[in-house]
Amino acid sequence: NYLANSKDGFSDDRVIHVMTMHSAKVLEFRAVHVFGAEEMRHHPFNRTKLAYTTVTRAKTALNVYWTGPMRAAIEAAFAELKHIELDDIFPG
């Protein structure tokens, strides 16, 4: 859940919030999922700051998903890399 007051357009009763990495600044969440992280390779400015800001939004859990080449510095920061197939996420 979002940990600020609802005057910012969020309400505490919502379980999932979808937003860009830039709009997550100064916010904090119990769990953060980053999809398409390989796109950070193409971000022209402040890639390291953007990655730092993004991953530090998570209080207890961070999952990052990518399908293409990743920046080596970001990939090396993860303790455990695990390959996941789409069928593992959505069986059947």
Side-chain angles (χ1 to χ4, degrees):
N1 282 344
Y2 177 72
L3 300 177
N5 59 37
S6 60
K7 74 178 176 107
D8 297 324
F10 291 91
S11 66
D12 291 336
D13 61 337
R14 292 189 181 161
V15 179
I16 297 173
H17 298 281
V18 178
M19 64 188 63
T20 66
M21 294 177 191
H22 289 94
S23 63
K25 279 184 169 182
V26 307
L27 304 178
E28 188 175 56
F29 302 91
R30 184 170 16 101
V32 172
H33 299 271
V34 179
F35 295 92
E38 69 275 7
E39 292 300 317
M40 283 194 278
R41 289 180 61 94
H42 307 294
H43 196 274
F45 303 107
N46 299 319
R47 285 181 281 217
T48 303
K49 286 183 181 181
L50 179 62
Y52 177 81
T53 298
T54 302
V55 302
T56 57
R57 303 304 91 206
K59 285 185 70 172
T60 59
L62 171 68
N63 290 294
V64 179
Y65 308 91
W66 66 91
T67 58
M70 192 66 167
R71 289 191 65 222
I74 296 172
E75 189 173 334
F78 292 98
E80 178 184 347
L81 296 176
K82 187 186 329 181
H83 178 78
I84 299 174
E85 292 291 334
L86 192 57
D87 291 337
D88 296 334
I89 299 171
F90 302 104

